[in-house]
Amino acid sequence: MPDLRKLVNKHTISLATSAAMPVIGMLVLSLMAHNLTAPEFGNYIFLLITILLADTFRNGFVQTSLIKFYAGTSKKTAAEVAGSAWYVGIMQTLVFVTIDAVVYFIYRSKSPDTETTIQWFGIIYLSTLPGAIASYLLQAEEKFGRMLLLQVINQGLFFIFIVTLILLHKINFQTAVYGYFAASAITSVFTVLNGWSKIKTLRFRTKETASKLAHFGKFSVGTSISSYLLRSSDTFIIKLMFNPALLAVYYIPQRLMEIFEIPMRAGVAVALPELSAAVHKGKEGEVASIMKRYAGMLTVTLIPIAIAAFLLAKIVIEILFGTKYHETEAVNIFRLFMCYVMLMPIDRFFGVTLDIINKPHLNMLKVIIMLIVNVAGDFIGIWLFHSLYAVAVASLFTFFSGVIFGYWALKKHLKFTVKDIFSLGVQEIKRVVSNFLEKSKPEHNSVQ
């Protein structure tokens, strides 16, 4: 029997961690689609998008800057960075909660579900802060096993709550919101009680460090918001230009793209601390090598997955979202998305590397250019063809623009070529497969 413990490392654990949230999230979304009415399912998607937008602000302001200034530093500096990150996170969260409270007391919606979204958004967002800070710190410390446990607790609890509500015939939009809050709150309490969130480091915060994090974060949050708008712009444009029913048709293939986000998130999670440590050491060659290695490996890995997804698109959509969607444009839109999958890892790592080498403004500019290309492409395509397919095709030009600008910006600071990325990716895949097969071999004790 092969010793599976040999196969457990930071890469495999990071992959499992990155898979936990989208996989369980996809199961929950599938349950929602089958058990909620169409209006309730739409309201749940709206709440989810709203929370993700707010999380984008937090991730942009805190996550990247914390990892950049925390990884590979002394214990004293790490405590200052953690405490200052807590301070920045609290201030940012309080701004959002205050805005939500003002909206709640001033705005009166005729829709009970909209009222519920406004009422619970601030509460949910506040409850997720300790869990979010804990996940950033665990990533910076490369404790991916704990990150995996944290994701399983959070998403697993929500899944259990939803299944329980379905079995009790109590599932509706409002009870789903209660389940979301409960899972988030329990997860955050868990991180505080076991010390993973390091909330006690608040006393070590310094004005200088908080200012440094905020200064870096203002560009990083610009990148994050632009990235979110890039992902959401198609949704807003479709709602504006087409029948609202087509929104779900387009959202389904968008959500299925999580399949490809899983290995990319895992790769970025592992690469960020490595890149940060290389930058602190002043090793530009090592920074370029890490970027090429991860971008190349992910690109080569995703190509066969994209081919399989292209062929199985109809079956996957029918199983996950029901027969009412498998004869719609969702299937072919998902297939169109497969045409630019190989550009995604290169684009992602160009951006991450720009952040780590302290050029976050260039990464922000890259994403803004992609957003402009996407929005312009959507409107031009819809005007010319009056079809959802035009929106999907525009995404291809969007990623090309990001890769071209990212390559131009990075070439000024690092030595590499696109050919290097693919060749090193193939070499690394061969090395990983060879290593995997070697470790998978059962050990035989020699007979004396």
Side-chain angles (χ1 to χ4, degrees), residues 275-287:
L275 286 167
S276 179
V279 169
H280 286 315
K281 295 174 185 175
K283 297 181 177 180
E284 291 185 1
E286 188 176 340
V287 173

Side-chain angles (χ1 to χ4, degrees), residues 113-169:
D113 289 336
T114 301
E115 192 80 9
T116 298
T117 298
I118 298 171
Q119 179 183 3
W120 280 90
F121 165 76
I123 299 171
I124 290 174
Y125 195 58
L126 185 62
S127 72
T128 58
L129 178 60
I133 297 291
S135 67
Y136 305 157
L137 290 166
L138 291 174
Q139 182 181 348
E141 295 172 352
E142 299 189 69
K143 295 178 178 178
F144 297 108
R146 292 183 177 182
M147 283 183 68
L148 173 59
L149 178 60
L150 204 58
Q151 293 288 5
V152 170
I153 291 173
N154 186 14
Q155 293 298 309
L157 283 174
F158 185 43
F159 177 75
I160 291 170
F161 291 150
I162 294 301
V163 170
T164 303
L165 289 169
I166 291 172
L167 293 176
L168 295 175
H169 303 288

Side-chain angles (χ1 to χ4, degrees), residues 33-34 252 314-328 330-331:
H34 284 90
I252 285 172
K314 188 173 182 178
I315 297 172
V316 172
I317 288 176
E318 181 176 354
I319 292 173
L320 291 177
F321 300 99
T323 55
K324 60 183 176 181
Y325 290 110
H326 84 287
E327 293 294 346
T328 66
V331 174

Side-chain angles (χ1 to χ4, degrees), residues 77-121:
T77 301
E80 289 179 359
V81 172
S84 299
W86 257 107
Y87 177 77
V88 172
I90 289 171
M91 293 299 103
Q92 184 265 328
T93 300
L94 288 178
V95 169
F96 275 69
V97 171
T98 301
I99 293 172
D100 181 64
V102 171
V103 172
Y104 177 72
F105 286 111
I106 292 178
Y107 176 71
R108 283 291 177 265
S109 173
K110 295 180 181 179
S111 168
D113 289 336
T114 301
E115 192 80 9
T116 298
T117 298
I118 298 171
Q119 179 183 3
W120 280 90
F121 165 76

Side-chain angles (χ1 to χ4, degrees), residues 45-57 59 220-236 251 254 367 371 374:
I45 290 175
F46 178 74
L47 173 65
L48 203 60
I49 290 174
T50 304
I51 293 173
L52 287 175
L53 175 59
D55 278 341
T56 299
F57 271 91
N59 294 343
S220 188
V221 77
T223 302
S224 297
I225 294 302
S226 298
S227 296
Y228 177 84
L229 292 175
L230 177 60
R231 293 192 302 270
S232 305
S233 57
D234 290 347
T235 301
F236 294 131
Y251 181 79
Q254 272 191 321
V367 180
L371 175 60
N374 193 67

Side-chain angles (χ1 to χ4, degrees), residues 185-370:
I186 292 171
T187 303
S188 286
V189 170
F190 174 79
T191 63
V192 171
L193 292 179
N194 62 23
W196 292 1
S197 68
K198 299 187 187 297
I199 193 170
K200 293 181 179 179
T201 59
L202 257 171
R203 66 180 185 271
F204 298 119
R205 72 185 186 279
T206 65
K207 184 178 179 180
E208 180 184 356
T209 304
S211 177
K212 183 167 63 174
L213 292 175
H215 177 70
F216 186 95
K218 70 184 179 184
F219 293 111
S220 188
V221 77
T223 302
S224 297
I225 294 302
S226 298
S227 296
Y228 177 84
L229 292 175
L230 177 60
R231 293 192 302 270
S232 305
S233 57
D234 290 347
T235 301
F236 294 131
I237 292 170
I238 289 169
K239 189 170 185 179
L240 177 67
M241 305 292 287
F242 291 102
N243 186 311
L246 293 178
L247 187 60
V249 172
Y250 195 85
Y251 181 79
I252 285 172
Q254 272 191 321
R255 190 60 193 260
L256 283 172
M257 292 301 288
E258 289 281 357
I259 296 169
F260 304 95
E261 287 290 335
I262 290 171
M264 282 199 293
R265 286 173 183 163
V268 169
V270 176
L272 267 176
E274 291 184 19
L275 286 167
S276 179
V279 169
H280 286 315
K281 295 174 185 175
K283 297 181 177 180
E284 291 185 1
E286 188 176 340
V287 173
S289 177
I290 293 169
M291 183 270 292
K292 290 187 294 184
R293 186 170 75 248
Y294 281 99
M297 285 178 64
L298 285 168
T299 299
V300 174
T301 302
L302 288 182
I303 290 174
I305 298 175
I307 294 172
F310 184 94
L311 297 174
L312 300 174
K314 188 173 182 178
I315 297 172
V316 172
I317 288 176
E318 181 176 354
I319 292 173
L320 291 177
F321 300 99
T323 55
K324 60 183 176 181
Y325 290 110
H326 84 287
E327 293 294 346
T328 66
E329 295 96 328
V331 174
N332 286 329
I333 288 173
F334 182 60
R335 286 171 174 160
L336 282 171
F337 286 167
M338 296 303 97
C339 297
Y340 63 78
V341 159
M342 64 179 294
L343 296 174
M344 292 170 64
I346 297 174
D347 172 68
R348 183 71 58 86
F349 272 91
F350 280 175
V352 167
T353 307
L354 284 170
D355 276 342
I356 290 298
I357 65 173
N358 212 28
K359 304 294 178 184
H361 57 291
L362 292 178
N363 189 24
M364 182 177 70
L365 181 57
K366 178 180 78 70
V367 180
I368 290 174
I369 290 172
M370 293 174 70

